[in-house]
Amino acid sequence: MIPKIVTFMLTYKCNIACDHCSVCSGPWRQETLHEDVICRIIDDIYDIASIEVCVFTGGEPTLYADTLKRALSYAYYNGFITRVVTNAWWAKNYNKSLKFLDDLRSADLKELNISYDDFHAKYISINNVINAIKAALDLNLRIVIGIIRSRSSKINAQYLMKIFRDEGIDCSKIMFEEDYVQPVGRAVYTLPEEEYVERKDVLNSGCVDILRVITVHPDGRITACCGHTTANPYVKELVIGYINSGSIKELIKRAQKCLLYWLIFAKGSMKIMREILNVTPSEKIFHSCQACYVLFTKYRLHLYKVLTEKRHKILEMLLM
């Protein structure tokens, strides 16, 4: 449980409203992190040697370009690798893409992460992605394409590679990351159960993201993981503090002593329910983030009771 990444969820506002969005972003959302808060947290994490990357995401962080550029510069000045996650709405043509990304590169952006899949394709043209990639390559930016899939989705890494190669793009210079949609956030209300794919690999293992990724939310919460489940206000167990509740270094140190987090790291929420609480959820569990949500809502009281009664036994199990 060593922190490697601090993610600044710059805003919940987005120019689009994808069906799968785990944080329920959309044009109507207004919550935004203030620049002073971002800089203060960067100052605070400067002495944490394990933290290497500052990610700026949302929502759509490029909607607040001036704040984003100043935050990028400050993070890079303090020695952090900088990454922006975007839907590439701004990449209407190559020249606009080049100008937009050159401004971000001048503000010390090092990695561009573009989200594109069947969900984003309802709003964003593939031509935007192509324009953004070509411009980013010409500016020597690292490029990652993030793809969220469902059972019936058409777009995957192979699909995009073919399109990009037809456009003369060298796909060896692009990293593709795929995952499957989860029944959290907006997807709970918009997607039928048959669209989900069970991720047995992550359900049967510990959570590698717990405290490895620290997320700062625009509503002031600081959470112990990447944020898919933590966007839900009812999951308070993964909140390690708030932007006005003191030093983030102290919040992390305290969280690293939390028995519950060590259990999630070692076992994962699904195994906690099955092996420690001795319960089998009635609903189908498809992904580890969904398992966390079920654990901390449906079985919250049972969890606390078992942790209190069997604390020493659980500690012994973790140390074996």
Side-chain angles (χ1 to χ4, degrees), residues 151 181-184 187-188 191-198 286:
R151 190 173 295 279
V181 64
Q182 309 173 39
V184 295
V188 172
L191 297 180
E193 185 172 295
E194 55 265 27
E195 284 297 322
Y196 300 113
V197 175
E198 186 179 11
F286 295 94

Side-chain angles (χ1 to χ4, degrees), residues 167-187:
E167 289 290 329
I169 294 171
D170 183 358
C171 289
S172 68
K173 296 180 179 179
I174 303 172
M175 179 181 293
F176 294 85
E177 294 183 349
E178 293 185 340
D179 199 357
Y180 285 94
V181 64
Q182 309 173 39
V184 295
R186 187 175 293 128

Side-chain angles (χ1 to χ4, degrees), residues 106-174:
S106 297
D108 298 309
L109 172 66
K110 298 303 175 185
E111 181 183 296
L112 183 70
N113 190 319
I114 301 173
S115 300
Y116 195 76
D117 40 51
D118 286 70
F119 303 106
H120 288 86
K122 293 180 180 179
Y123 303 94
I124 305 293
S125 169
I126 187 63
N127 292 322
N128 285 53
V129 180
I130 291 168
N131 292 330
I133 290 173
K134 288 181 176 179
L137 287 173
D138 287 344
L139 293 169
N140 295 316
L141 293 172
R142 290 191 293 272
I143 305 169
V144 177
I145 306 296
I147 305 161
I148 299 297
R149 299 174 59 185
S150 67
R151 190 173 295 279
S152 67
S153 63
K154 176 178 68 174
I155 297 174
N156 57 27
Q158 293 299 321
Y159 176 91
L160 291 177
M161 284 180 191
K162 184 181 185 306
I163 293 175
F164 297 160
R165 289 188 183 115
D166 289 344
E167 289 290 329
I169 294 171
D170 183 358
C171 289
S172 68
K173 296 180 179 179
I174 303 172

